[in-house]
Amino acid sequence: MKPIVTLAVLANARTARIVENRGPGKGFTASAGHALQAPPVVENADRAGSHPISGAHGAAAFEASDPKEAAEAAFARLIAKDLEKRHAAGAFDQLILTAAPHMLGQLRAALPDALKAKVIGEADKDLTHAGLDDIAGHLKDIIAA
């Protein structure tokens, strides 16, 4: 019988690790191609300004987009694309998301519905620096690893 493979994404705004579990008592191991790095943040050269709107009194202020926010969302999409490739290759059956609360929201938003259906649990904590032996303890409420 084929074991149920669970991937756990351990992410923050700059880095992500993907670890896998192949059943109860097996613990977590590093997954192939398990580390992802966010591309550097690109600062916008444009400043917030105003633009006249025809027919309106005055001008509307445009806010410059937050480059860190945009970089975090782009990194979440990069992680989602990596997971999509793994899913298409049949590399896992279940998925656990762990990240600081804001990044966890970015990951949720970036996942397509097919991957959202694979999520068995989430933890709003940054485990990117946790040792492989420690991850199971942090996720014990989600999976018996």
Side-chain angles (χ1 to χ4, degrees):
M1 184 165 138
K2 179 185 175 245
I4 294 175
V5 178
T6 303
L7 290 188
V9 177
L10 316 173
N12 61 32
R14 304 297 316 142
T15 188
R17 291 172 50 208
I18 299 175
V19 296
E20 65 182 54
N21 170 268
R22 295 190 168 270
K26 303 285 185 180
F28 283 93
T29 58
S31 181
H34 70 281
L36 298 169
Q37 293 295 320
V41 176
V42 177
E43 297 287 337
N44 291 340
D46 297 333
R47 294 178 302 156
S50 61
H51 183 288
I53 298 177
S54 60
H57 301 293
F62 289 7
E63 296 220 11
S65 63
D66 179 0
K68 289 181 182 175
E69 176 86 16
E72 196 169 298
F75 186 45
R77 288 190 301 273
L78 180 89
I79 295 167
K81 285 192 182 296
D82 182 81
L83 292 171
E84 282 182 282
K85 289 177 189 172
R86 291 170 188 262
H87 183 252
F92 68 93
D93 304 297
Q94 302 177 139
L95 190 58
I96 298 171
L97 302 177
T98 70
H102 190 264
M103 185 62 179
L104 187 57
Q106 295 285 7
L107 285 170
R108 280 188 204 118
L111 288 181
D113 290 339
L115 288 181
K116 285 179 184 175
K118 298 292 182 182
V119 175
I120 62 166
E122 298 177 347
D124 61 350
K125 50 181 117 180
D126 181 354
L127 298 178
T128 56
H129 298 293
L132 289 172
D133 294 337
D134 298 331
I135 295 169
H138 288 287
L139 301 180
K140 68 180 185 259
D141 293 340
I142 299 171
I143 187 171

